[in-house]
CSV table of all heavy atoms in Angstrom, one decimal:
chain,number,residue,atom,x,y,z
A,1,TYR,N,-70.3,-215.0,32.7
A,1,TYR,CA,-69.7,-213.7,32.4
A,1,TYR,C,-70.7,-212.7,31.7
A,1,TYR,O,-70.7,-211.5,31.9
A,1,TYR,CB,-68.4,-213.9,31.6
A,1,TYR,CG,-67.2,-214.3,32.4
A,1,TYR,CD1,-66.6,-215.4,32.2
A,1,TYR,CD2,-66.8,-213.4,33.4
A,1,TYR,CE1,-65.4,-215.8,32.9
A,1,TYR,CE2,-65.7,-213.8,34.2
A,1,TYR,CZ,-65.0,-214.9,33.9
A,1,TYR,OH,-63.9,-215.3,34.7
A,2,PHE,N,-71.4,-213.3,30.7
A,2,PHE,CA,-72.1,-212.4,29.8
A,2,PHE,C,-73.6,-212.3,30.2
A,2,PHE,O,-74.3,-211.2,29.9
A,2,PHE,CB,-72.0,-212.8,28.3
A,2,PHE,CG,-70.6,-212.8,27.8
A,2,PHE,CD1,-70.2,-213.7,26.8
A,2,PHE,CD2,-69.7,-211.9,28.3
A,2,PHE,CE1,-68.9,-213.6,26.3
A,2,PHE,CE2,-68.4,-211.8,27.8
A,2,PHE,CZ,-68.0,-212.7,26.8
A,3,ALA,N,-74.1,-213.3,30.8
A,3,ALA,CA,-75.6,-213.2,31.3
A,3,ALA,C,-75.6,-212.9,32.8
A,3,ALA,O,-76.7,-212.6,33.3
A,3,ALA,CB,-76.2,-214.6,31.0
A,4,ASN,N,-74.5,-212.9,33.5
A,4,ASN,CA,-74.4,-212.7,34.9
A,4,ASN,C,-75.4,-213.6,35.7
A,4,ASN,O,-76.1,-213.1,36.6
A,4,ASN,CB,-74.7,-211.2,35.3
A,4,ASN,CG,-74.2,-210.8,36.7
A,4,ASN,OD1,-73.2,-211.3,37.1
A,4,ASN,ND2,-75.0,-210.0,37.4
A,5,ARG,N,-75.4,-214.8,35.3
A,5,ARG,CA,-76.2,-215.8,36.0
A,5,ARG,C,-75.3,-216.7,36.8
A,5,ARG,O,-74.2,-217.1,36.3
A,5,ARG,CB,-77.1,-216.6,35.0
A,5,ARG,CG,-78.1,-215.8,34.3
A,5,ARG,CD,-79.3,-215.4,35.2
A,5,ARG,NE,-79.9,-216.6,35.8
A,5,ARG,CZ,-81.2,-216.6,36.3
A,5,ARG,NH1,-81.9,-215.4,36.2
A,5,ARG,NH2,-81.7,-217.6,36.9
A,6,TRP,N,-75.8,-217.1,38.0
A,6,TRP,CA,-75.1,-218.1,38.7
A,6,TRP,C,-75.1,-219.5,38.0
A,6,TRP,O,-76.2,-219.8,37.4
A,6,TRP,CB,-75.7,-218.3,40.1
A,6,TRP,CG,-75.5,-217.1,41.0
A,6,TRP,CD1,-76.1,-215.9,41.0
A,6,TRP,CD2,-74.5,-217.0,42.0
A,6,TRP,NE1,-75.6,-215.1,41.9
A,6,TRP,CE2,-74.6,-215.7,42.6
A,6,TRP,CE3,-73.5,-217.8,42.4
A,6,TRP,CZ2,-73.8,-215.3,43.6
A,6,TRP,CZ3,-72.6,-217.4,43.5
A,6,TRP,CH2,-72.8,-216.1,44.1
A,7,VAL,N,-74.0,-220.2,38.1
A,7,VAL,CA,-74.0,-221.6,37.5
A,7,VAL,C,-73.8,-222.5,38.7
A,7,VAL,O,-73.2,-222.2,39.7
A,7,VAL,CB,-72.9,-221.7,36.4
A,7,VAL,CG1,-73.3,-220.9,35.2
A,7,VAL,CG2,-71.6,-221.3,36.9
A,8,ASP,N,-74.3,-223.7,38.5
A,8,ASP,CA,-74.3,-224.7,39.6
A,8,ASP,C,-73.0,-225.5,39.7
A,8,ASP,O,-72.8,-226.3,40.6
A,8,ASP,CB,-75.4,-225.8,39.4
A,8,ASP,CG,-76.8,-225.1,39.5
A,8,ASP,OD1,-76.9,-224.1,40.2
A,8,ASP,OD2,-77.8,-225.7,38.9
A,9,VAL,N,-72.1,-225.3,38.8
A,9,VAL,CA,-70.8,-226.1,38.8
A,9,VAL,C,-69.6,-225.2,38.8
A,9,VAL,O,-69.7,-224.1,38.3
A,9,VAL,CB,-70.8,-227.0,37.6
A,9,VAL,CG1,-71.9,-228.1,37.7
A,9,VAL,CG2,-70.9,-226.3,36.3
A,10,SER,N,-68.5,-225.7,39.4
A,10,SER,CA,-67.3,-224.9,39.4
A,10,SER,C,-66.5,-225.2,38.1
A,10,SER,O,-66.9,-226.0,37.3
A,10,SER,CB,-66.4,-225.4,40.6
A,10,SER,OG,-66.1,-226.8,40.5
A,11,SER,N,-65.5,-224.4,38.0
A,11,SER,CA,-64.8,-224.4,36.7
A,11,SER,C,-64.1,-225.8,36.4
A,11,SER,O,-63.7,-226.1,35.3
A,11,SER,CB,-63.7,-223.3,36.7
A,11,SER,OG,-62.8,-223.4,37.8
A,12,ASP,N,-63.8,-226.6,37.5
A,12,ASP,CA,-63.2,-227.8,37.3
A,12,ASP,C,-64.1,-229.0,37.4
A,12,ASP,O,-63.7,-230.2,37.4
A,12,ASP,CB,-62.0,-228.0,38.3
A,12,ASP,CG,-62.5,-228.0,39.8
A,12,ASP,OD1,-63.7,-227.6,40.0
A,12,ASP,OD2,-61.6,-228.2,40.6
A,13,SER,N,-65.4,-228.8,37.3
A,13,SER,CA,-66.4,-229.9,37.4
A,13,SER,C,-66.5,-230.6,36.1
A,13,SER,O,-66.5,-229.9,35.0
A,13,SER,CB,-67.7,-229.3,37.9
A,13,SER,OG,-68.7,-230.3,37.8
A,14,TRP,N,-66.9,-231.8,36.1
A,14,TRP,CA,-67.1,-232.5,34.9
A,14,TRP,C,-68.5,-232.1,34.3
A,14,TRP,O,-68.8,-232.4,33.1
A,14,TRP,CB,-67.2,-234.1,35.1
A,14,TRP,CG,-68.2,-234.5,36.1
A,14,TRP,CD1,-68.0,-234.5,37.5
A,14,TRP,CD2,-69.5,-235.0,35.9
A,14,TRP,NE1,-69.1,-235.0,38.1
A,14,TRP,CE2,-70.1,-235.3,37.2
A,14,TRP,CE3,-70.2,-235.3,34.8
A,14,TRP,CZ2,-71.3,-235.9,37.3
A,14,TRP,CZ3,-71.5,-235.8,34.9
A,14,TRP,CH2,-72.0,-236.1,36.2
A,15,LEU,N,-69.3,-231.3,35.0
A,15,LEU,CA,-70.6,-230.8,34.5
A,15,LEU,C,-70.4,-229.4,33.8
A,15,LEU,O,-71.4,-228.8,33.4
A,15,LEU,CB,-71.6,-230.7,35.6
A,15,LEU,CG,-72.3,-232.0,36.0
A,15,LEU,CD1,-73.0,-231.7,37.3
A,15,LEU,CD2,-73.2,-232.4,35.0
A,16,LYS,N,-69.2,-228.9,33.7
A,16,LYS,CA,-68.9,-227.5,33.3
A,16,LYS,C,-69.4,-227.2,31.9
A,16,LYS,O,-69.8,-226.1,31.6
A,16,LYS,CB,-67.5,-227.1,33.5
A,16,LYS,CG,-66.6,-227.9,32.5
A,16,LYS,CD,-65.1,-227.5,32.8
A,16,LYS,CE,-64.1,-228.2,31.9
A,16,LYS,NZ,-62.7,-227.8,32.1
A,17,ASP,N,-69.4,-228.2,31.0
A,17,ASP,CA,-69.8,-228.0,29.7
A,17,ASP,C,-71.3,-228.1,29.5
A,17,ASP,O,-71.9,-227.9,28.4
A,17,ASP,CB,-69.1,-229.0,28.7
A,17,ASP,CG,-67.6,-228.7,28.6
A,17,ASP,OD1,-67.3,-227.6,28.7
A,17,ASP,OD2,-66.9,-229.7,28.5
A,18,HIS,N,-72.0,-228.5,30.6
A,18,HIS,CA,-73.5,-228.6,30.5
A,18,HIS,C,-74.0,-228.0,31.8
A,18,HIS,O,-74.6,-228.7,32.7
A,18,HIS,CB,-73.9,-230.1,30.4
A,18,HIS,CG,-73.3,-230.8,29.2
A,18,HIS,ND1,-73.7,-230.7,27.9
A,18,HIS,CD2,-72.2,-231.6,29.2
A,18,HIS,CE1,-72.9,-231.4,27.2
A,18,HIS,NE2,-72.0,-231.9,27.9
A,19,PRO,N,-73.9,-226.7,32.0
A,19,PRO,CA,-74.2,-226.1,33.3
A,19,PRO,C,-75.6,-226.2,33.8
A,19,PRO,O,-75.9,-226.1,35.0
A,19,PRO,CB,-73.8,-224.6,33.1
A,19,PRO,CG,-73.9,-224.4,31.6
A,19,PRO,CD,-73.4,-225.8,31.0
A,20,ALA,N,-76.6,-226.4,32.8
A,20,ALA,CA,-78.0,-226.6,33.2
A,20,ALA,C,-78.4,-228.0,33.5
A,20,ALA,O,-79.5,-228.3,33.9
A,20,ALA,CB,-78.9,-226.0,32.1
A,21,ALA,N,-77.5,-229.0,33.3
A,21,ALA,CA,-77.9,-230.4,33.4
A,21,ALA,C,-78.4,-230.8,34.8
A,21,ALA,O,-79.4,-231.5,35.0
A,21,ALA,CB,-76.7,-231.3,33.0
A,22,TRP,N,-77.7,-230.2,35.8
A,22,TRP,CA,-78.0,-230.6,37.2
A,22,TRP,C,-79.4,-230.0,37.6
A,22,TRP,O,-80.2,-230.7,38.1
A,22,TRP,CB,-76.9,-230.1,38.1
A,22,TRP,CG,-77.1,-230.6,39.6
A,22,TRP,CD1,-77.5,-229.8,40.7
A,22,TRP,CD2,-77.0,-231.9,40.1
A,22,TRP,NE1,-77.5,-230.5,41.8
A,22,TRP,CE2,-77.3,-231.9,41.5
A,22,TRP,CE3,-76.7,-233.1,39.5
A,22,TRP,CZ2,-77.3,-233.0,42.3
A,22,TRP,CZ3,-76.7,-234.3,40.3
A,22,TRP,CH2,-77.0,-234.2,41.7
A,23,SER,N,-79.6,-228.7,37.3
A,23,SER,CA,-80.8,-228.1,37.7
A,23,SER,C,-82.0,-228.7,36.9
A,23,SER,O,-83.1,-228.7,37.4
A,23,SER,CB,-80.7,-226.5,37.4
A,23,SER,OG,-80.4,-226.3,36.1
A,24,ASN,N,-81.7,-229.2,35.6
A,24,ASN,CA,-82.8,-229.8,34.8
A,24,ASN,C,-83.2,-231.1,35.4
A,24,ASN,O,-84.3,-231.7,35.1
A,24,ASN,CB,-82.3,-230.1,33.4
A,24,ASN,CG,-82.2,-228.8,32.6
A,24,ASN,OD1,-82.8,-227.7,33.0
A,24,ASN,ND2,-81.5,-228.8,31.5
């Protein structure tokens, strides 16, 4: 919302609290 960056996970994913974990 605030950085207007795409995130790799959907709102109901277990990765939602760590959005950079997958790309890392």
